[in-house]
Amino acid sequence: MNEIDIVRAVTEEGYQISPQAVELIKLSNSPENLLKYILSTIDDCVFVIEPEHVDLKDFEASKTVSGIISGTSPGTVSQMDSGKIPSPALEPADSHMMKAFDPSLDALKDPSLNALKESGLTLGVESDAISAFEISGSNTGIGLNIPSSKSLAPHSVADSVADSVPGSVASSIAGSVADSITDSVAGSLSNPVYSSVSSRSAEKPASSFFGHPGSPSVSSSNRVSSADSLFSNQGNAFPSNSRDEGVRYVPGRNPVTVLSDITGHSTCVGEYMQFVQYFRDRYSRLSEIIRSRTNARPIESLKRKSFRRGSDGGTEELSIIGMVSDISSTTNGHKILSLEDPTGSFSVLIRNSDKELFELASRLLLDEVIGVTGSVTNDGKLMLATKIIQPDVPNSVQRRTGSHGKAVLISDVHVGSSQFMEDAWLDFLDFLKGESDSEDMREIASQVRYLVVAGDLVDGIGIYPDQEMELDILDVYEQYRKAAEYFKEVPEHIHVIISPGNHDAVRQAEPQPALPERICADFPKNVTFVGNPALVDLDGVQILIYHGRSIDDLVASVPGVSYQEPAGAVLEMLKRRHLAPTYGSRVSISPEKKDYFIIDPVPDIIHTGHVHTLGVQRYKNVLLVNSGTWQAQTEFQKRVNLMPVPARVPVVDLADFDVKILAFD
Ligand code: D5M
Ligand code: FE
Ligand code: ZN
């Protein structure tokens, strides 16, 4: 059990832990059991586990412990961890380097807060006072104008369940579960096994990402109930090795290491606890990234007066990290976010007078994980935000260097479609074979080491209504046989990596595993099949391959993101460090143990497709490429005015990340 496992296991239970305590636990000859023991016996009012809570007596230390404890008094945050693991239980309130909330400044510029002042209430600030300028009477208990059906109920699992047949898990969950189970050819969505899974999950309360009890009022406990605990429900409480699953090395002149891939590792059977565990993994890993930049506290602690008061008794600013479970607007046009962490949920007010903050809040998506800094009202029910922090990419992120040659990035080939542009595709194959007419093209071709396909290799069958009207090849296996023939033309030294998309013959729920053996068998040896998404190392350059179905969601919900500039959507993913932030929209997400959509580590390249348009952007040393398509405009695309960019190929130089777009139309 390493440090990360210990910290994760602790935070999943709603606690934090000091590095000294982590070191002590590591010294035990049975760290897992020791940690379970600590977590099951620790006093409820403790937030930070310190060395004093670690009793090695019954969990014999394998090494001497004296050096660890001496020199650091319990509760002192060492240099190593300062800013990472706050110890609010032991630090005096005034030691936090936080800006005091100054009601005389921003707050008074806000007309609604002026209204509040006029209403005779001081800026102390009670949330009841806020209700003086908003409509009161909702069932949130804080008097704000949050639509009652949404109030404090997290979006994802709760919403999905909400509109389902009573007593069963919502269609979106059932769909993803179903897909997870079948692992087979797309289109088998009506398999009866799904309904039995849904009804098995039916009795469980599902109002929370983290398995909080079903009631909209937040539990006073700072941890999930023992029935929902990972420790009580799972044989192995610590997913310690899950992170290493899927590492696969494919040697050769142009080697490939598959670093992260669901293929062969799907654990999902669709039980309620798996959704809870999925969201916990998402939260704990994304919050860890944010925690390196802000000193956040567990949400539960905001409800304690002592934690939200400065030394002078006034309101001080503090930070929390939560998953966005609801976004709503007040009648005065302010925004209310509901944030949830493993210890509870909290409402956050974003005032529209703070233009920059409000603009950022307008781009937030349900289920993304953010940090928020602000001051809490006296009754401990509302935070007035002054800052929103997304996980983002550190400025210091370095590009991996020292590689050479070129990687050709394509997607959305759609073999089998009557709109498949075979002539252009054959020209492309000629280019790869070094048979282009132009000398320059032959020179580029001679440097190509990798060809990466980000999904929709074939058009498939039954993906959209009336699709068969636009198919040249009606049998999906025939489509793959045709594709295999094409790939036999690609020179052997070029290592081809194929990842599936929503038209391919694997489960529709993401993460999708690699194409099945029956299909792969027809392809030549230089093809490596991976899942979707997949993080792959191309001889020293890390590329994250994702088909990009979530781009449809991002275009629909983030202002300024469009199909014409698809790399902009990928940029939004990168800022959230997540490939599919919103659960339950167009992307059907299977609740795996590990959240495969988290962008960690930061890759050198993110390669997406799906929307059939081309886009290249750079953001803090990360190259974002959305490759186009080999399919001309379909009837559907005509109807929605989607102009595809076919037969254009981005070629990335692996030494300097320069991108050239080659045209084959
Ligand atoms: O998706 C190509 C793009 O077109 C992607 O943005 C989805 C959209 N699309 C295409 N056909 C449909 C239908 N029938 N309904 C909804 N959205 C559609 P691709 O995955 O390549 O088909
Ligand atoms: Fe496509
Ligand atoms: Zn697609």
Side-chain angles (χ1 to χ4, degrees), residues 448-600:
V448 173
R449 299 176 68 198
Y450 298 98
L451 168 62
V452 185
V453 186
D456 287 0
L457 176 59
V458 299
D459 207 46
I461 289 193
I463 309 297
Y464 295 123
D466 297 329
Q467 187 200 1
E468 61 280 7
M469 317 282 280
E470 288 186 274
L471 285 178
D472 270 354
I473 307 173
L474 281 158
D475 175 337
V476 72
Y477 291 107
E478 262 319 303
Q479 295 177 0
Y480 280 108
R481 271 192 286 276
K482 187 74 191 169
E485 268 174 41
Y486 291 135
F487 279 87
K488 282 177 191 153
E489 301 273 310
V490 176
E492 258 175 48
H493 73 271
I494 298 179
H495 200 143
V496 181
I497 296 114
I498 298 180
S499 169
N502 54 307
H503 283 253
D504 284 295
V506 285
R507 71 180 191 188
Q508 288 286 295
E510 298 178 11
Q512 297 177 291
L515 287 165
E517 183 51 35
R518 173 177 174 185
I519 286 170
C520 302
D522 291 333
F523 284 76
K525 288 210 162 34
N526 56 328
V527 180
T528 295
F529 290 89
V530 298
N532 170 41
L535 177 66
V536 175
D537 180 292
L538 308 178
D539 199 15
V541 169
Q542 286 189 8
I543 179 165
L544 178 59
I545 308 161
Y546 176 52
H547 180 56
R549 199 145 191 209
S550 63
I551 299 174
D552 289 328
D553 288 336
L554 290 161
V555 168
S557 46
V558 182
V561 172
S562 72
Y563 284 120
Q564 285 70 47
E565 287 177 49
V570 185
L571 173 56
E572 296 297 326
M573 298 177 198
L574 188 52
K575 283 183 180 164
R576 292 163 178 85
R577 298 287 291 272
H578 202 280
L579 296 169
T582 302
Y583 180 90
S585 282
R586 258 169 269 196
V587 188
S588 177
I589 296 179
S590 161
E592 301 294 341
K593 233 183 194 168
K594 161 184 157 180
D595 186 343
Y596 285 84
F597 297 94
I598 290 180
I599 306 175
D600 192 29

Side-chain angles (χ1 to χ4, degrees), residues 412 414 456 464-465 502-503 547 552 563 610-612 631 634 636-637 642:
D412 300 274
H414 291 267
D456 287 0
Y464 295 123
N502 54 307
H503 283 253
H547 180 56
D552 289 328
Y563 284 120
H610 182 58
V611 293
H612 295 203
Q631 186 185 39
T634 63
F636 169 85
Q637 290 163 356
L642 195 155

Side-chain angles (χ1 to χ4, degrees), residues 1-12 17 21-23 25-26 31 35 39 238:
M1 202 178 196
N2 63 28
E3 269 157 51
I4 294 170
D5 297 328
I6 294 172
V7 172
R8 186 171 306 119
V10 165
T11 49
E12 276 170 357
I17 187 165
V22 171
E23 284 308 313
I25 291 168
K26 273 168 57 190
L35 188 50
L39 290 168
F238 309 109

Side-chain angles (χ1 to χ4, degrees), residues 294-327:
T294 190
N295 220 353
R297 296 157 183 245
I299 281 180
E300 176 67 20
S301 74
L302 299 197
K303 289 162 192 150
R304 298 168 181 223
K305 264 208 159 102
S306 53
F307 289 132
R308 29 176 226 273
R309 287 299 183 93
S311 55
D312 58 354
T315 323
E316 70 166 325
E317 287 213 320
L318 16 103
S319 303
I320 53 174
I321 300 172
M323 203 175 270
V324 179
S325 60
D326 190 36
I327 304 170

Side-chain angles (χ1 to χ4, degrees), residues 130-138 140 142-146 330-332:
I130 301 286
S131 70
F133 61 89
E134 310 290 7
I135 294 177
S136 60
S138 81
T140 61
I142 55 169
L144 288 160
N145 184 26
I146 304 169
T330 70
T331 41
N332 288 351

